[in-house]
Amino acid sequence: MSVLCPASEVILRHTDEFTQRRVLFAGDLQDDLACQLEAQDIRVHCTQYHHWRQLSRTLGDKAQFNLLPQPELTAGCDTLIFYWPKSKQEAQFQLQSLLSLLPVGTELFIVGENRSGVRSAETLLAEFGAIAKIDSARRCSLYHFRSERQAQFDLTKWWDEYTLDDLPIKTLPGVFSRDGLDVGSQLLLSVLDNVKGKVLDVGCGAGVLSMILAKSVDGLELTLSDVSAAALESSKATLAANDLSGKVIASDVFSDIEGRFDFIISNPPFHDGLQTNLSAAESLIRGATKHLQLGGRLCIVANAFLPYPDILDATFGSHEVLAQTGRFKVYQSVMARPSSPAKDKKAKGRR
């Protein structure tokens, strides 16, 4: 996260505002401005694990990864710089949790790309104080206000639930497919068969894929991972609601994954915030060979236009398309035993 995003460039136009402040960064962080900004003190609340991994290298304990900000992190802060996420409900969830801990009189600087819906800040925050736009540049808007009343926050009121085949799915704001199973995951589930042993669900979201598999096949050993704190909590709740057990861990693709698996499944994201970013999916494919047993399978669903076949072939030697629609394809590659140089030489001699 070395190149500053447009929203951070707008913040930089107001650096004199922050030199004597105790600043808390939060929201949809996309770069390392928190490591560069001159201020009396800087802390960061990360809800995305990969952002925390980058920022904590410089900020140490002053950067924390949690679903909700912790009181010890917000204590003493007088200013909040909040990056608007693409989901209005996620923004409301995060802001209310932050304003429930920050003292009355805290100054907020809310910034985001116009296409993210940052204008919604005007209505969402109206009850807490007078809010005004103070800058507009790089297709972003920057709002400022001083909180005039304490927010109340109750996590239990933010949980949603839907059912799939009469099985409960628990979700929180910001989790992919929060209101129902997406079309891509439906296609992936329709072709999964002969699943056994140890299963790794990368980018688990609300835990739907793992839950459906575990309900269909006895004895699966589940590991679910995601970078989103909200997704991790949702997956834990989904497993619990269906009387299932499994490891649910924060991991930036394979950063915190240990061991090998018989089956790796994923509906990998190709956005980081609003920006197109294929790095997570590419890391998933290229790193899978270090985490699959011999004969183990990687099975992913992706938008048909994305360039994954070439990466699969370069990594595994081949791939097959298990299913496709006009929009999505389900790809599978198998971990084969690598050929020895001697065998390769004999094979060439027989041609």
Side-chain angles (χ1 to χ4, degrees):
M1 295 194 294
S2 57
V3 177
L4 295 183
C5 67
S8 289
E9 291 181 350
V10 175
I11 292 291
L12 282 178
R13 292 155 60 99
H14 302 265
T15 51
D16 292 345
E17 289 278 357
F18 306 109
T19 53
Q20 300 304 313
R21 296 179 184 268
R22 299 173 65 85
V23 180
L24 174 65
F25 279 78
D28 189 22
L29 306 168
Q30 295 294 321
D31 55 41
D32 61 357
L33 178 62
C35 301
Q36 303 179 32
L37 191 71
E38 184 179 346
Q40 186 177 348
D41 187 32
I42 288 180
R43 303 175 190 182
V44 185
H45 172 237
C46 302
T47 59
Q48 299 288 318
Y49 188 65
H50 56 311
H51 297 163
W52 172 81
R53 291 185 72 227
Q54 293 287 339
L55 295 170
S56 63
R57 293 170 186 170
T58 300
L59 298 174
D61 292 341
K62 291 187 176 183
Q64 293 185 6
F65 168 73
N66 296 101
L67 174 65
L68 301 176
Q70 301 302 299
E72 65 270 18
L73 183 70
T74 61
C77 293
D78 55 32
T79 302
L80 172 65
I81 295 177
F82 184 81
Y83 289 74
W84 196 264
K86 60 182 179 181
S87 162
K88 177 180 176 179
Q89 193 174 41
E90 182 181 7
Q92 187 177 17
F93 175 86
Q94 292 188 27
L95 281 169
Q96 287 202 10
S97 68
L98 289 159
L99 287 172
S100 71
L101 294 176
L102 292 167
V104 171
T106 298
E107 295 199 51
L108 275 71
F109 293 82
I110 300 170
V111 66
E113 294 188 39
N114 295 327
R115 60 178 175 149
S116 72
V118 67
R119 183 178 296 179
S120 298
E122 298 177 17
T123 54
L124 288 184
L125 295 170
E127 63 178 301
F128 301 106
I131 183 169
K133 183 189 289 189
I134 61 172
D135 201 356
S136 181
R138 301 298 307 274
R139 298 180 180 177
C140 297
S141 295
L142 175 64
Y143 291 86
H144 170 266
F145 90 113
R146 182 179 288 106
S147 66
E148 297 175 0
R149 59 185 291 262
Q150 200 84 35
Q152 301 299 313
F153 183 82
D154 182 355
L155 178 60
T156 63
K157 295 181 179 179
W158 290 92
W159 282 100
D160 273 351
E161 179 180 317
Y162 64 91
T163 59
L164 183 64
D165 297 332
D166 296 324
L167 300 171
I169 311 296
K170 302 286 190 176
T171 63
L172 286 167
V175 177
F176 180 63
S177 295
R178 181 176 187 237
D179 300 319
L181 187 63
D182 63 286
V183 176
S185 293
Q186 290 180 32
L187 185 65
L188 177 58
L189 282 171
S190 72
V191 294
L192 294 180
D193 60 0
N194 297 320
V195 180
K196 61 182 179 179
K198 299 175 65 177
V199 177
L200 172 63
D201 182 353
V202 179
C204 57
V208 182
L209 297 179
S210 288
M211 186 274 291
I212 294 295
L213 285 177
K215 283 293 187 180
S216 303
V217 182
D218 291 334
L220 294 183
E221 185 177 338
L222 300 176
T223 299
L224 295 76
S225 71
D226 208 297
V227 294
S228 163
L232 295 172
E233 292 303 317
S234 296
S235 285
K236 291 176 185 177
T238 294
L239 291 179
N242 290 279
D243 298 318
L244 296 171
S245 61
K247 296 179 183 178
V248 182
I249 59 176
S251 184
D252 182 6
V253 193
F254 294 114
S255 66
D256 291 65
I257 302 298
E258 297 180 354
R260 292 182 178 268
F261 299 83
D262 300 290
F263 203 68
I264 298 177
I265 55 173
S266 185
N267 183 350
F270 63 98
H271 288 96
D272 190 356
L274 292 171
Q275 310 304 319
T276 299
N277 189 339
L278 303 183
S279 62
E282 292 182 5
S283 297
L284 168 67
I285 295 171
R286 298 186 194 283
T289 57
K290 297 179 181 179
H291 293 279
L292 281 171
Q293 307 277 12
L294 286 176
R297 294 181 288 161
L298 170 68
C299 195
I300 65 173
V301 62
N303 289 69
F305 67 87
L306 295 172
Y308 297 151
D310 289 344
I311 304 173
L312 288 164
D313 289 345
T315 304
F316 287 90
S318 65
H319 76 277
E320 59 180 316
V321 177
L322 299 182
Q324 66 181 83
T325 65
R327 185 179 174 189
F328 295 101
K329 289 184 178 181
V330 177
Y331 300 103
Q332 177 174 277
S333 287
V334 179
M335 181 70 176
R337 186 182 299 277
S339 300
S340 68
K343 288 183 178 179
D344 287 344
K345 187 174 182 181
K346 288 180 180 179
K348 288 179 181 179
R350 288 194 296 267
R351 292 175 186 168

